[in-house]
Amino acid sequence: MRIYLPATWPMLARTVSTGSFEPLGGTAFALTPKLRESYVAGDDEELEYAAMNEAARASLRLLAVEFGLGEDATPARRVVVAADTDDVALRPDLDDGAVRVTGPVPVAKIAAVHVDLPEAEYAVREAAAVVDKADLGDLDAEFLIGEAEDHELAWYAPSELPFLVELG
């Protein structure tokens, strides 16, 4: 199963140094039956993209925590790690595409890394500051989230991960 793991730049750095990705709380997103049911139309590729977008929004939540802890050195970029594993359990109590990963994900199972480019940093920082308000229905906050989501995530191969972290 292809899963999408929300992350931050420091989490990528730890992945490079340890050889595995440690998902915070075991949370990931995937094309689950519940996610498929929540869309009227769409092929698997479109629904996988929806799952990746859920992980990107979760990355905003992780960034909000890091910025709240004073981690201003953390690049304000959403990070999503795509991996292939069957070591997951459905989480119907959370978002439609939420799954729980049952441990660290070895780098060998990472299919790709998706990150914002530097030009998205202002929008991402603004969105991270209001993501909780957006979750509660604040329309102004949702607008700022949309500004960040207007930036497409760049794709990187797993072999590029050390270079990506170094350049970050």
Side-chain angles (χ1 to χ4, degrees):
M1 170 182 275
R2 173 68 48 98
I3 60 170
Y4 300 92
L5 301 143
T8 62
W9 215 266
M11 293 170 79
L12 285 184
R14 280 191 298 279
T15 300
V16 170
S17 67
T18 65
S20 64
F21 180 84
E22 187 72 44
L24 190 62
T27 301
F29 298 86
L31 175 51
T32 63
K34 189 174 178 184
L35 181 66
R36 186 180 301 282
E37 290 172 9
S38 68
Y39 283 85
V40 175
D43 61 18
D44 283 356
E45 186 175 327
E46 291 168 318
L47 297 175
E48 291 274 350
Y49 186 74
M52 185 177 78
N53 282 336
E54 285 191 33
R57 185 170 285 214
S59 176
L60 284 176
R61 292 182 190 99
L62 295 175
L63 285 170
V65 170
E66 287 192 10
F67 297 154
L69 295 174
E71 298 292 333
D72 292 331
T74 298
R77 299 189 204 173
R78 297 169 297 158
V79 177
V80 176
V81 175
D84 295 316
T85 182
D86 291 323
D87 298 330
V88 299
L90 296 178
R91 290 292 313 266
D93 56 318
L94 295 177
D95 294 340
D96 291 342
V99 296
R100 177 163 314 280
V101 180
T102 58
V105 177
V107 169
K109 291 189 175 192
I110 294 176
V113 178
H114 305 272
V115 297
D116 278 310
L117 296 175
E119 55 265 15
E121 286 190 13
Y122 179 79
V124 169
R125 189 171 293 278
E126 293 289 306
V130 299
V131 69
D132 290 337
K133 290 180 181 179
D135 288 343
L136 295 172
D138 183 304
L139 295 179
D140 291 332
E142 191 60 47
F143 176 79
L144 292 174
I145 299 293
E147 291 286 311
E149 290 175 344
D150 284 345
H151 293 272
E152 290 292 324
L153 298 174
W155 179 93
Y156 295 91
S159 62
E160 296 175 291
L161 189 53
F163 306 108
L164 179 64
V165 168
E166 183 179 318
L167 294 174

